[in-house]
Amino acid sequence: MNKLFIFRFLPLVLVLLLACDEGFDELNTNETEATSVDPAFQLNSAIINMSYPGSVLVYDMGIVQQIITPNSGVLTGANFNQDNRNSTENMWVNYYRNVIRSTRDIISRIEDVPERNNLLQMTRILQAHAFMLLTDTYGDIPYFEGGKAFTDQNFFPVYDPQQEVYADIISELSQATPALDASGTIENADVLYGGDIELWKKYGNSLLLRAGMRHSKIDPSTAQQVVQRAFQNGVITSNDENALIRHDANYVNGPGRTLNATEANNYYLAAPFVEYLQENDDPRLEAIAVRYVGAASGPEQVPAIASNDPDIQIGMPMGNNDETARQVAAELDLASFYEFSQADRNRVVQQTSPMFLVTAAQTQLLLAEAASRDWISGSAETFYNAGVRAHMQQMALYDEDSTIPEAEIDAYLAANPFDDANALEQINSQYWVASFLNGPEAFANFRRSGFPDLDPNPFPNQDISGDFIRRLTYPSSEIAVNSENVNAAISRMGADNLDTRVWWDAE
């Protein structure tokens, strides 16, 4: 009887099951969720994430003695020349996760789609820039396999020697930049240059110039060849052509967010930077700095006592913790260390301030050095003056109140003329100033050129044996998960510490 019941009702059950299955796919499909993202929007995401995290304040800007803090804990870094892997990993994590992952995916999707040629070449240029920043910061990195966990399920990428990384970066820039075609599809949705092919070409060539100059110590012959190629093809010459990330309330400037939030009262302009500008009567100090005269505490840093007067700015001396900084302040008859000068967070480091990555000022100063080395034609003095002028004009792009009048720029150049006998130091000291708030580039060029001539941070109990930090350490997560490849890089490059030099930073 039970078997007969089952057999009689089995057809009915099957009919009901089939009926339920009809429309099942439609019922379980989210009709509002995107199934495919235009790769142009992926590129925009990668561009936006090229903006530096706030952690560049902890190391890069402190190593080059532009911005420093006397506080420890999460802010430990260049202020004490100590290793803090919670901060050293930030650039790595942000770039691999939010830039390289996207560029790898874009390239894999459109490399065989001729009508997206311009987008492909733009992506290659941006990816080369991201990898350059990573290898300059850490040395040997996952390059040929780096960022391919999503596209190729490669979760344990091999680390490549920096020499090979740079060779391919130069190859990528040399191929991708001229392959941009103004007669092809214009990707005008891009947030960097609005699809302007000529500006993308100037950006790519300026990166190529930068990559060539990185070889000046290790391989001058390659440096000269690459620099000549970049110069001949056309580089950034004006601030209208700068590669910069624009920020708003949704996509904020990383250092700006840090300096307008919990750490507003904890970072100060370093004395060597302030003194260099003061000694040369540099009008950029007034455009950059603020001092809260008489402030005895952080909450007392209010607009009523704020001064941009360059003559009264006082940079925080290097080598102090919060206790000794108080003592130094007392010796200088300051109310507290809260009275030292800061980068003005209401002008140059707002949350919405632009992040300048590659500029006319930097590019013209590199050309000045190349000309002084007889690597390119042209006057080193002309390039030098153009670079200094461009950076002074760039200050207005942060905020109208940081504008430097042309008369003051002219007066500065007249009072501080180009000195051919001291060209390398003068050019690269200006590059240091022109890279203010671009910590990674200031750090890289300081190691490459050896200028400005800074005194080592005198803080005791340091984690380095040399005079300056030469690289940042690998993330702890990489050491734990990808240990075999990390250890191979360490055995080739040198110890995973702050002393080890990257390949192009030859002694």
Side-chain angles (χ1 to χ4, degrees):
M1 184 66 182
N2 289 338
K3 291 182 180 179
L4 182 60
F5 178 85
I6 291 172
F7 287 133
R8 283 180 175 176
F9 284 90
L10 183 57
L12 178 61
V13 172
L14 290 174
V15 169
L16 290 172
L17 286 174
L18 289 172
C20 290
D21 190 55
E22 289 182 18
F24 181 80
D25 290 338
E26 292 82 355
L27 188 64
N28 288 277
T29 299
N30 186 339
E31 296 182 2
T32 63
E33 183 178 3
T35 57
S36 179
V37 177
D38 189 321
F41 299 144
Q42 283 183 282
L43 179 61
N44 282 344
S45 176
I47 290 169
I48 291 167
N49 281 291
M50 285 286 289
S51 189
Y52 306 138
S55 61
V56 296
L57 291 160
V58 178
Y59 278 99
D60 307 69
M61 296 185 199
I63 296 168
V64 299
Q65 300 182 10
Q66 291 179 332
I67 294 179
I68 202 73
T69 178
N71 294 335
S72 57
V74 296
L75 303 185
T76 295
N79 49 350
F80 309 136
N81 280 339
Q82 294 175 359
D83 191 5
N84 173 7
R85 298 198 183 218
N86 289 327
S87 289
T88 60
E89 71 173 12
N90 287 346
M91 183 73 78
W92 180 290
V93 172
N94 181 58
Y95 270 45
Y96 274 113
R97 181 178 297 169
N98 300 317
V99 180
I100 303 299
R101 174 184 172 179
S102 292
T103 58
R104 289 293 198 198
D105 186 44
I106 295 167
I107 292 170
S108 71
R109 293 175 60 193
I110 66 172
E111 58 187 344
D112 296 322
V113 183
E115 58 268 27
R116 304 308 292 270
N117 170 71
N118 283 330
L119 183 64
L120 174 64
Q121 310 312 331
M122 290 154 59
T123 303
R124 293 172 71 189
I125 291 169
L126 190 81
Q127 180 172 273
H129 189 181
F131 273 126
M132 190 187 304
L133 284 159
L134 285 167
T135 192
D136 288 345
T137 301
Y138 300 98
D140 294 4
I141 58 169
Y143 178 75
F144 293 102
E145 297 180 0
K148 293 189 175 182
F150 180 69
T151 57
D152 296 4
Q153 288 72 57
N154 185 344
F155 303 107
F156 308 104
V158 169
Y159 282 53
D160 300 295
Q162 187 179 60
Q163 183 175 5
E164 296 177 12
V165 172
Y166 254 96
D168 200 68
I169 286 173
I170 289 171
S171 177
E172 281 290 284
L173 291 171
S174 298
Q175 294 173 25
T177 305
L180 289 162
D181 184 4
S183 66
T185 302
I186 301 302
E187 304 286 347
N188 53 19
D190 103 77
V191 296
L192 187 59
Y193 286 123
D196 190 311
I197 296 301
E198 288 307 308
L199 293 184
W200 270 96
K201 284 187 174 184
K202 289 190 174 188
Y203 169 44
N205 290 325
S206 299
L207 285 173
L208 187 62
L209 169 66
R210 185 177 286 186
M213 291 301 292
R214 290 284 196 271
H215 289 71
S216 62
K217 283 201 297 185
I218 193 70
D219 187 354
S221 177
T222 295
Q224 180 176 1
Q225 293 172 17
V226 175
V227 165
Q228 286 177 345
R229 188 189 318 150
F231 175 57
Q232 291 167 359
N233 290 339
V235 296
I236 292 171
T237 58
S238 73
N239 285 323
D240 293 338
E241 302 166 349
N242 289 342
L244 67 136
I245 309 302
R246 298 166 180 82
H247 298 100
D248 58 24
N250 296 312
Y251 302 101
V252 300
N253 180 299
R257 173 168 48 197
T258 298
L259 296 179
N260 283 276
T262 56
E263 311 305 337
N265 315 125
N266 292 328
Y267 278 99
Y268 296 84
L269 291 174
F273 185 66
V274 171
E275 290 165 5
Y276 177 85
L277 297 177
Q278 285 177 327
E279 288 166 4
N280 294 285
D281 291 325
D282 196 316
R284 283 171 288 192
L285 183 58
E286 185 173 1
I288 289 169
V290 64
R291 182 174 161 222
Y292 294 94
V293 181
S297 66
E300 291 186 26
Q301 291 182 340
V302 294
I305 59 172
S307 175
N308 306 124
D309 183 349
D311 294 332
I312 68 167
Q313 301 303 320
I314 304 174
M316 179 174 283
M318 298 295 298
N320 292 286
N321 58 22
D322 56 354
E323 180 179 349
T324 60
R326 291 188 183 93
Q327 297 171 4
V328 172
E331 292 168 3
L332 294 172
D333 292 326
L334 303 180
S336 70
F337 72 66
Y338 296 101
E339 202 178 342
F340 283 114
S341 298
Q342 295 179 296
D344 194 337
R345 54 185 176 268
N346 293 312
R347 294 184 297 160
V348 295
V349 280
Q350 301 173 68
Q351 294 195 62
T352 55
S353 291
M355 176 74 69
F356 293 93
L357 301 180
V358 184
T359 66
Q362 293 166 329
T363 303
Q364 295 304 301
L365 288 168
L366 289 180
L367 292 179
E369 180 176 342
S372 73
R373 293 176 179 271
D374 294 324
W375 288 353
I376 60 171
S377 60
S379 164
E381 180 178 9
T382 299
F383 290 127
Y384 172 83
N385 288 338
V388 174
R389 181 179 298 277
H391 188 247
M392 290 191 178
Q393 293 171 336
Q394 181 185 315
M395 300 311 301
L397 303 180
Y398 287 107
D399 189 272
E400 183 180 358
D401 289 341
S402 288
T403 300
I404 299 175
E406 287 296 314
E408 292 186 23
I409 300 175
D410 293 339
Y412 177 85
L413 290 171
N416 299 273
F418 179 70
D419 179 7
D420 189 60
N422 193 38
L424 292 183
E425 180 172 6
Q426 188 180 29
I427 291 167
N428 286 290
S429 295
Q430 285 292 336
Y431 198 94
W432 175 57
V433 179
S435 298
F436 179 67
L437 298 177
N438 186 339
E441 182 58 21
F443 177 35
N445 199 68
F446 171 62
R447 288 174 289 163
R448 179 193 72 83
S449 70
F451 297 113
D453 186 14
L454 301 172
D455 292 327
N457 184 344
F459 191 84
N461 304 318
Q462 301 185 17
D463 288 344
I464 64 173
S465 57
D467 289 339
F468 295 95
I469 293 172
R470 310 306 299 194
R471 65 179 283 273
L472 300 192
T473 50
Y474 292 131
S476 298
S477 57
E478 274 292 293
I479 295 170
V481 174
N482 197 16
S483 58
E484 181 178 348
N485 290 319
V486 173
N487 289 333
I490 292 170
S491 65
R492 178 177 59 241
M493 182 179 64
D496 182 28
N497 59 34
L498 302 174
D499 276 309
T500 295
R501 291 171 178 259
V502 302
W503 167 74
W504 53 253
D505 182 21
E507 293 192 63

